Amino acid sequence: MSLRLGIDLGGTKTEIIALEGSDERLRRRLPTPQGDYPATLDTLVRLVHEAEDELGAQGSVGVGIPGTRSPDHGRIKNANSVCLIGQDLQGDLQQRLGRPVRLANDADCFSLSEATDGAGQGARSVFGVILGTGVGGGIVINGQLLGGPNAIAGEWGHNPLPWRSAADGPARRCYCGLDDCIETFLCGPGWAARSALGLSSEQLAAAAQAGEPAAALALQRYAEHLARSLASVINLLDPEVIVLGGGLSNIQALYQLVPQLLPRYVFSDQVNTRLVQARHGDSSGVRGAAWLWD
């Protein structure tokens, strides 16, 4: 059985996993060098070499990154780890490791993991959602990541909030330069800012669960915004399963509230799309990077 190595290049940590089939053979992590591309490259190469030395075998290498590889020039774009932008990460890794390397956006890796052996396993179409410090997504059809000419499939977080009204509050500028992107409503910092309660998203979720009225109302509004945003995805893609990941996916009330709200906005007499929590949690991204070689 072939060895697959997956790496999740995160903002603060870089993690590697070794899989044989679905079985985990090894897992390691190192701090991600901050703002230093050569040191980041060294960290990736070190993790691969150390894993293969320990296991006594060479594997395929897939890497999930906080950005995407441009199909036009092969260099990294749209990365919040800005030292990666404009770098030929794939080419540099292939040269250092002496073999092909596959790259994908971290939300794509999450989606592939959950579609392969996670909460979306067996479904023909899966939309994977990251709800964390940002909002990302990926689309898997018949077990294969959906790509496109711009390498941005699934970037639903930079569409405007659907069915916008004055009740949704004042407009907020997204870092992308546009107003009222879905990310400004659904990411953790965005939810916290719009609630105006002076709490972090983690504190908001805990207060809502404890029954604090203002926090509970903020959670109801969040569920409404999430339902409207997901309804627009369902109307376009009609996926069998939507899998939620990221820190906010751990708010269990969302799995009751959002399905109740979806029928108001989905263009159907009944909503058959399943909304589920990720099976592999924080491990999904690194597992999906390994599955890039399936």
Side-chain angles (χ1 to χ4, degrees), residues 22 25 29 37 55 58 68 92 106 134 140 148 155 184 249 254 286 292:
S22 293
R25 292 282 311 279
R29 65 174 55 175
Y37 177 70
L55 295 173
Q58 188 175 95
T68 191
D92 291 341
D106 48 12
V140 180
E155 287 288 2
T184 70
S249 72
L254 294 177
V286 71
L292 291 173

PDB file of all heavy atoms in Angstrom, residues 22 25 29 37 55 58 68 92 106 134 140 148 155 184 249 254 286 292:
ATOM      1  N   SER A  22      -6.296   4.662   4.741  1.00  0.00           N
ATOM      2  CA  SER A  22      -6.852   5.658   5.654  1.00  0.00           C
ATOM      3  C   SER A  22      -6.177   5.627   7.016  1.00  0.00           C
ATOM      4  O   SER A  22      -6.575   6.362   7.916  1.00  0.00           O
ATOM      5  CB  SER A  22      -8.363   5.429   5.832  1.00  0.00           C
ATOM      6  OG  SER A  22      -9.060   5.691   4.641  1.00  0.00           O
ATOM      7  N   ARG A  25       0.041   6.783   9.959  1.00  0.00           N
ATOM      8  CA  ARG A  25       1.309   6.185  10.389  1.00  0.00           C
ATOM      9  C   ARG A  25       2.161   7.143  11.206  1.00  0.00           C
ATOM     10  O   ARG A  25       2.980   6.706  12.030  1.00  0.00           O
ATOM     11  CB  ARG A  25       2.108   5.740   9.156  1.00  0.00           C
ATOM     12  CG  ARG A  25       1.524   4.588   8.369  1.00  0.00           C
ATOM     13  CD  ARG A  25       1.804   3.265   9.055  1.00  0.00           C
ATOM     14  NE  ARG A  25       3.200   3.110   9.433  1.00  0.00           N
ATOM     15  CZ  ARG A  25       4.181   2.735   8.595  1.00  0.00           C
ATOM     16  NH1 ARG A  25       3.904   2.492   7.321  1.00  0.00           N
ATOM     17  NH2 ARG A  25       5.422   2.602   9.036  1.00  0.00           N
ATOM     18  N   ARG A  29       4.558  18.198  13.811  1.00  0.00           N
ATOM     19  CA  ARG A  29       4.327  19.607  13.502  1.00  0.00           C
ATOM     20  C   ARG A  29       5.510  20.433  13.977  1.00  0.00           C
ATOM     21  O   ARG A  29       6.201  20.071  14.931  1.00  0.00           O
ATOM     22  CB  ARG A  29       3.026  20.124  14.105  1.00  0.00           C
ATOM     23  CG  ARG A  29       2.984  20.143  15.604  1.00  0.00           C
ATOM     24  CD  ARG A  29       1.711  20.804  16.137  1.00  0.00           C
ATOM     25  NE  ARG A  29       0.489  20.215  15.638  1.00  0.00           N
ATOM     26  CZ  ARG A  29      -0.734  20.570  16.033  1.00  0.00           C
ATOM     27  NH1 ARG A  29      -0.869  21.522  16.951  1.00  0.00           N
ATOM     28  NH2 ARG A  29      -1.806  19.999  15.544  1.00  0.00           N
ATOM     29  N   TYR A  37      10.145  33.259   3.602  1.00  0.00           N
ATOM     30  CA  TYR A  37       9.894  32.205   2.626  1.00  0.00           C
ATOM     31  C   TYR A  37      10.994  31.142   2.608  1.00  0.00           C
ATOM     32  O   TYR A  37      10.675  29.938   2.635  1.00  0.00           O
ATOM     33  CB  TYR A  37       9.695  32.796   1.231  1.00  0.00           C
ATOM     34  CG  TYR A  37       9.501  31.732   0.169  1.00  0.00           C
ATOM     35  CD1 TYR A  37       8.325  30.985   0.134  1.00  0.00           C
ATOM     36  CD2 TYR A  37      10.492  31.463  -0.768  1.00  0.00           C
ATOM     37  CE1 TYR A  37       8.137  29.991  -0.820  1.00  0.00           C
ATOM     38  CE2 TYR A  37      10.313  30.477  -1.724  1.00  0.00           C
ATOM     39  CZ  TYR A  37       9.138  29.738  -1.749  1.00  0.00           C
ATOM     40  OH  TYR A  37       8.966  28.749  -2.689  1.00  0.00           O
ATOM     41  N   LEU A  55       9.952   6.401   8.815  1.00  0.00           N
ATOM     42  CA  LEU A  55       9.119   5.321   8.293  1.00  0.00           C
ATOM     43  C   LEU A  55       9.884   4.388   7.362  1.00  0.00           C
ATOM     44  O   LEU A  55       9.392   3.304   7.029  1.00  0.00           O
ATOM     45  CB  LEU A  55       7.913   5.909   7.561  1.00  0.00           C
ATOM     46  CG  LEU A  55       6.920   6.685   8.432  1.00  0.00           C
ATOM     47  CD1 LEU A  55       5.869   7.368   7.577  1.00  0.00           C
ATOM     48  CD2 LEU A  55       6.262   5.761   9.458  1.00  0.00           C
ATOM     49  N   GLN A  58       9.623   6.220   1.014  1.00  0.00           N
ATOM     50  CA  GLN A  58       9.349   7.498   0.371  1.00  0.00           C
ATOM     51  C   GLN A  58       7.885   7.539  -0.043  1.00  0.00           C
ATOM     52  O   GLN A  58       7.330   6.533  -0.490  1.00  0.00           O
ATOM     53  CB  GLN A  58      10.235   7.677  -0.865  1.00  0.00           C
ATOM     54  CG  GLN A  58      10.151   9.065  -1.480  1.00  0.00           C
ATOM     55  CD  GLN A  58      11.131   9.259  -2.630  1.00  0.00           C
ATOM     56  OE1 GLN A  58      10.772   9.076  -3.796  1.00  0.00           O
ATOM     57  NE2 GLN A  58      12.354   9.644  -2.299  1.00  0.00           N
ATOM     58  N   THR A  68      -3.529  30.064  -3.175  1.00  0.00           N
ATOM     59  CA  THR A  68      -3.683  29.151  -4.297  1.00  0.00           C
ATOM     60  C   THR A  68      -2.573  29.388  -5.308  1.00  0.00           C
ATOM     61  O   THR A  68      -1.978  30.465  -5.370  1.00  0.00           O
ATOM     62  CB  THR A  68      -5.066  29.320  -4.963  1.00  0.00           C
ATOM     63  OG1 THR A  68      -5.296  28.258  -5.869  1.00  0.00           O
ATOM     64  CG2 THR A  68      -5.173  30.648  -5.695  1.00  0.00           C
ATOM     65  N   ASP A  92       9.847  25.080  -6.339  1.00  0.00           N
ATOM     66  CA  ASP A  92      10.939  25.038  -5.367  1.00  0.00           C
ATOM     67  C   ASP A  92      10.929  23.737  -4.566  1.00  0.00           C
ATOM     68  O   ASP A  92      11.986  23.133  -4.310  1.00  0.00           O
ATOM     69  CB  ASP A  92      10.850  26.236  -4.428  1.00  0.00           C
ATOM     70  CG  ASP A  92      11.149  27.553  -5.131  1.00  0.00           C
ATOM     71  OD1 ASP A  92      11.771  27.523  -6.217  1.00  0.00           O
ATOM     72  OD2 ASP A  92      10.734  28.618  -4.601  1.00  0.00           O
ATOM     73  N   ASP A 106      -6.056  25.341   1.258  1.00  0.00           N
ATOM     74  CA  ASP A 106      -6.348  24.579   2.465  1.00  0.00           C
ATOM     75  C   ASP A 106      -7.829  24.222   2.602  1.00  0.00           C
ATOM     76  O   ASP A 106      -8.170  23.149   3.107  1.00  0.00           O
ATOM     77  CB  ASP A 106      -5.838  25.297   3.714  1.00  0.00           C
ATOM     78  CG  ASP A 106      -6.217  26.769   3.784  1.00  0.00           C
ATOM     79  OD1 ASP A 106      -7.072  27.220   2.996  1.00  0.00           O
ATOM     80  OD2 ASP A 106      -5.648  27.489   4.625  1.00  0.00           O
ATOM     81  N   GLY A 134     -11.277  33.186   8.730  1.00  0.00           N
ATOM     82  CA  GLY A 134     -11.768  33.560   7.408  1.00  0.00           C
ATOM     83  C   GLY A 134     -12.899  32.627   7.035  1.00  0.00           C
ATOM     84  O   GLY A 134     -13.314  31.773   7.832  1.00  0.00           O
ATOM     85  N   VAL A 140     -16.220  19.162  -4.144  1.00  0.00           N
ATOM     86  CA  VAL A 140     -15.760  17.846  -4.567  1.00  0.00           C
ATOM     87  C   VAL A 140     -16.907  17.148  -5.288  1.00  0.00           C
ATOM     88  O   VAL A 140     -17.999  17.002  -4.727  1.00  0.00           O
ATOM     89  CB  VAL A 140     -15.282  17.004  -3.369  1.00  0.00           C
ATOM     90  CG1 VAL A 140     -14.807  15.633  -3.832  1.00  0.00           C
ATOM     91  CG2 VAL A 140     -14.159  17.730  -2.621  1.00  0.00           C
ATOM     92  N   GLY A 148     -10.924  25.243 -11.750  1.00  0.00           N
ATOM     93  CA  GLY A 148     -11.377  26.119 -12.822  1.00  0.00           C
ATOM     94  C   GLY A 148     -10.235  26.968 -13.332  1.00  0.00           C
ATOM     95  O   GLY A 148      -9.108  26.915 -12.811  1.00  0.00           O
ATOM     96  N   GLU A 155     -14.872  29.705  -3.577  1.00  0.00           N
ATOM     97  CA  GLU A 155     -14.596  30.920  -2.795  1.00  0.00           C
ATOM     98  C   GLU A 155     -15.875  31.732  -2.558  1.00  0.00           C
ATOM     99  O   GLU A 155     -16.002  32.882  -2.952  1.00  0.00           O
ATOM    100  CB  GLU A 155     -13.534  31.773  -3.497  1.00  0.00           C
ATOM    101  CG  GLU A 155     -12.139  31.197  -3.420  1.00  0.00           C
ATOM    102  CD  GLU A 155     -11.523  31.296  -2.029  1.00  0.00           C
ATOM    103  OE1 GLU A 155     -12.200  31.775  -1.101  1.00  0.00           O
ATOM    104  OE2 GLU A 155     -10.360  30.871  -1.884  1.00  0.00           O
ATOM    105  N   THR A 184     -17.331  38.829   5.941  1.00  0.00           N
ATOM    106  CA  THR A 184     -17.443  39.866   6.975  1.00  0.00           C
ATOM    107  C   THR A 184     -18.571  39.575   7.950  1.00  0.00           C
ATOM    108  O   THR A 184     -18.617  40.169   9.037  1.00  0.00           O
ATOM    109  CB  THR A 184     -17.644  41.259   6.364  1.00  0.00           C
ATOM    110  OG1 THR A 184     -18.943  41.355   5.770  1.00  0.00           O
ATOM    111  CG2 THR A 184     -16.583  41.571   5.309  1.00  0.00           C
ATOM    112  N   SER A 249     -17.614  25.908  13.440  1.00  0.00           N
ATOM    113  CA  SER A 249     -18.391  24.695  13.147  1.00  0.00           C
ATOM    114  C   SER A 249     -18.677  23.891  14.405  1.00  0.00           C
ATOM    115  O   SER A 249     -19.509  22.973  14.382  1.00  0.00           O
ATOM    116  CB  SER A 249     -17.643  23.814  12.144  1.00  0.00           C
ATOM    117  OG  SER A 249     -16.515  23.186  12.744  1.00  0.00           O
ATOM    118  N   LEU A 254     -25.975  25.356  15.523  1.00  0.00           N
ATOM    119  CA  LEU A 254     -26.101  25.662  14.093  1.00  0.00           C
ATOM    120  C   LEU A 254     -26.731  24.510  13.318  1.00  0.00           C
ATOM    121  O   LEU A 254     -27.433  24.742  12.326  1.00  0.00           O
ATOM    122  CB  LEU A 254     -24.724  25.985  13.494  1.00  0.00           C
ATOM    123  CG  LEU A 254     -24.044  27.255  13.997  1.00  0.00           C
ATOM    124  CD1 LEU A 254     -22.668  27.393  13.375  1.00  0.00           C
ATOM    125  CD2 LEU A 254     -24.897  28.478  13.690  1.00  0.00           C
ATOM    126  N   VAL A 286      -4.858  18.574   6.762  1.00  0.00           N
ATOM    127  CA  VAL A 286      -3.628  17.822   6.503  1.00  0.00           C
ATOM    128  C   VAL A 286      -3.934  16.471   5.867  1.00  0.00           C
ATOM    129  O   VAL A 286      -3.190  15.976   5.006  1.00  0.00           O
ATOM    130  CB  VAL A 286      -2.793  17.690   7.798  1.00  0.00           C
ATOM    131  CG1 VAL A 286      -3.434  16.740   8.797  1.00  0.00           C
ATOM    132  CG2 VAL A 286      -1.366  17.279   7.492  1.00  0.00           C
ATOM    133  N   LEU A 292      -4.505  14.374  -2.010  1.00  0.00           N
ATOM    134  CA  LEU A 292      -4.312  14.979  -3.338  1.00  0.00           C
ATOM    135  C   LEU A 292      -3.703  13.998  -4.324  1.00  0.00           C
ATOM    136  O   LEU A 292      -3.807  14.192  -5.537  1.00  0.00           O
ATOM    137  CB  LEU A 292      -3.416  16.227  -3.227  1.00  0.00           C
ATOM    138  CG  LEU A 292      -4.005  17.438  -2.508  1.00  0.00           C
ATOM    139  CD1 LEU A 292      -2.948  18.522  -2.328  1.00  0.00           C
ATOM    140  CD2 LEU A 292      -5.206  17.975  -3.277  1.00  0.00           C
TER     141      LEU A 292
END
